[in-house]
Amino acid sequence: MDGTGYGRRLMQTQSPGKHALVFIFVTVLIDVIGIGIVIPVSPKLIAQLAHVDLSQAARYGGWLMFVYAGMQFIFAPVIGNLSDRYGRRPLLILSLLMLGIDYLIAGLAPTLFWLFLARFFSGIAGASFSTASAYIADVSPPEKRAGSFGLIGAAFGVGFMIGPALGGILGDISVRLPFFVSAGLALANAAYGFLVLKESLPPDKRRTFEWKRANPLGALAALKRFPGMLGLCGVLVLMRFAHDSGPSVWTYFTMLRFDWTMKEVGLSLMASGAITALAYAGLTRTLIPRLGEVRSAYVGLTAGALAYAGFAIATKGWMMYAWMSAFLLTALVMPSLNAMMSKLVSPREQGELQGALASLGSLSSVAAPPFMTNVFAYFTGPKAPVYFPGAAFTAASLCLIAAALMLRIAGARPGKLNTAGSAFVSEPNSGSS
């Protein structure tokens, strides 16, 4: 009787049901909308709280981004490791509750200190991306993980399409209203998860929590145990560094190069978000199974390098939209990398892996914006050896070329084993049409 009862509970734990991936998609979507929704209203709110003009407010805005990304870097491996110990469900729900409270604090913030405090907690709660990825790894068979990871990319695309547009509309009513709407969405999703979400990690696959593996440096160092992992992490860092050039310099570049208005910039960001969402939702589930994870990664990196080079040399506004069609293929890279790396670790270490990867991504988000904006400022300033507004996009293109070379060095070859003989086994349908 006891054994049978345990078996039934274990089956329930391992069968999260039809709501699982929907919940994960919505969780990431709400997180990203929460990031995007504050973009159009943050300058005015910061200016109000700090009693400065918009120019000075930008300095505070940069430090707010630094605090958010820094907290994700520190806490992503902690939350990932906690999910390996206690399961994914409680960490996801607690993160959403914290996110809802964080938005309420931001909406009610009487001083700039409270806004910084809100972004501090928002960065911690946003580290739940690693738990969401671990949940997907738990419930998806290895051959379907790349497509399932694509749901996270789709959520990012939809979120960055909806967030800024919604923030602009609500901000016209009240500069604080977007924060209250985000709080309501996060708390509602926490309630939804509490009612329908099942645990994906059974007790027999959990492991003890270790602080030395939960800190960012310890989590990254632990990845050295897996042959080929550090090379793939290098590809991930270069990919994220290049990707962050868009949010960093897109507005400045298009306004300076094409004299775009804020409305035109907003429309272009909505178009970019829509293309990203469609690519992650569609291409990752069709092309990756057909091409295989390794080929898909190479295709995505090559297309991204061409797209960034195209952005850099564009002379007309419509060319930016044209090059977006090539940029959509970069949606193949992250799910493919995630799937390759997830196969290198055991089920009880998926949370640790995703936490370490989230920390790497956050570290890139800390470093890339100041680097890319300084490149842009230098090559559009009076001391530039040549006037070239597209310099930052050129740097992004070079990053993706370097990423493709590093992927090769890491041993990722279509249809062949890497040097460890474990990471890239039997690419599915890599030779079929």
Side-chain angles (χ1 to χ4, degrees):
M1 291 296 291
D2 291 340
T4 304
Y6 175 78
R8 283 197 298 267
R9 290 193 300 271
L10 186 59
M11 288 179 63
Q12 289 174 351
T13 302
Q14 291 178 308
S15 304
K18 64 180 180 180
H19 296 285
L21 291 181
V22 174
F23 176 80
I24 296 300
F25 176 85
V26 174
T27 296
V28 176
L29 176 63
I30 288 176
D31 283 352
V32 177
I33 287 177
I35 297 170
I37 202 172
V38 302
I39 292 175
V41 299
S42 288
K44 287 188 177 181
L45 182 59
I46 293 170
Q48 288 179 7
L49 295 177
H51 306 291
V52 297
D53 58 21
L54 289 178
S55 178
Q56 290 297 315
R59 294 178 180 268
Y60 292 107
W63 284 112
L64 284 168
M65 292 176 62
F66 176 86
V67 168
Y68 178 86
M71 291 306 99
Q72 284 205 328
F73 170 69
I74 294 171
F75 282 94
V78 175
I79 291 178
N81 276 267
L82 284 173
S83 77
D84 282 342
R85 173 63 181 90
Y86 298 104
R88 321 299 186 200
R89 182 178 182 271
L91 271 297
L92 284 169
I93 294 174
L94 286 174
S95 294
L96 283 167
L97 287 172
M98 180 182 291
L99 202 59
I101 295 171
D102 160 76
Y103 287 132
L104 288 176
I105 294 174
L108 296 170
T111 64
L112 195 60
F113 167 80
W114 285 96
L115 195 58
F116 270 94
L117 185 65
R119 296 312 286 171
F120 176 89
F121 287 116
S122 181
I124 297 174
S128 62
F129 288 134
S130 61
T131 311
S133 295
Y135 193 106
I136 286 177
D138 292 339
V139 302
S140 303
E143 68 275 9
K144 293 184 179 180
R145 281 180 188 167
S148 296
F149 281 129
L151 287 175
I152 292 181
F156 266 87
V158 174
F160 277 115
M161 179 176 63
I162 295 175
L166 185 60
I169 294 171
L170 297 176
D172 285 338
I173 301 172
S174 169
V175 73
R176 296 175 182 265
L177 182 57
F179 294 96
F180 295 127
V181 172
S182 293
L185 290 173
L187 294 175
N189 196 32
Y192 172 63
F194 182 80
L195 294 174
V196 306
L197 189 68
K198 296 180 181 180
E199 180 55 61
S200 64
L201 187 67
D204 64 317
K205 291 187 177 180
R206 299 178 188 179
R207 62 177 179 83
T208 57
F209 179 85
E210 301 176 54
W211 277 109
K212 66 179 181 180
R213 296 170 68 174
N215 70 79
L217 298 180
L220 297 179
L223 295 179
K224 292 191 297 185
R225 303 195 314 272
F226 309 103
M229 182 67 77
L230 291 183
L232 295 178
C233 287
V235 177
L236 174 69
V237 169
L238 289 169
M239 173 66 187
R240 286 293 301 267
F241 202 86
H243 176 270
D244 285 340
S245 67
S248 302
V249 303
W250 182 273
T251 301
Y252 302 103
F253 175 82
T254 53
M255 285 184 169
L256 182 64
R257 186 68 168 156
F258 311 120
D259 198 28
W260 277 5
T261 64
M262 287 298 298
K263 180 180 178 180
E264 289 172 315
V265 172
L267 289 174
S268 69
L269 291 174
M270 286 186 63
S272 177
I275 288 173
T276 300
L278 290 173
Y280 274 108
L283 290 182
T284 56
R285 290 179 174 272
T286 56
L287 287 185
I288 293 178
R290 182 176 294 272
L291 297 177
E293 291 151 6
V294 176
R295 281 196 180 93
S296 296
Y298 281 121
V299 169
L301 291 171
T302 303
L306 290 173
Y308 280 123
F311 292 151
I313 62 175
T315 57
K316 302 290 184 182
W318 63 264
M319 295 180 180
M320 302 298 284
Y321 286 93
W323 283 109
M324 284 183 193
S325 60
F327 187 75
L328 66 86
L329 288 174
T330 60
L332 300 174
V333 180
M334 294 305 296
S336 297
L337 287 176
N338 234 330
M340 282 188 268
M341 288 187 281
S342 72
K343 294 176 183 177
L344 287 171
V345 304
S346 68
R348 68 182 68 237
E349 295 172 311
Q350 291 294 332
E352 179 183 13
L353 169 64
Q354 298 303 330
L357 298 184
S359 282
L360 280 175
S362 297
L363 188 61
S364 297
S365 295
V366 171
F371 175 81
M372 292 298 183
T373 51
N374 274 283
V375 169
F376 174 84
Y378 177 74
F379 281 95
T380 55
K383 295 183 179 180
V386 58
Y387 179 79
F388 185 35
F393 289 133
T394 302
S397 180
L398 293 175
C399 282
L400 293 188
I401 293 172
L405 293 175
M406 184 167 289
L407 187 61
R408 181 77 176 182
I409 293 172
R413 295 175 178 83
K416 296 182 180 180
L417 300 177
N418 72 333
T419 54
S422 59
F424 312 111
V425 182
S426 65
E427 288 281 40
N429 300 324
S430 59
S432 62
S433 59

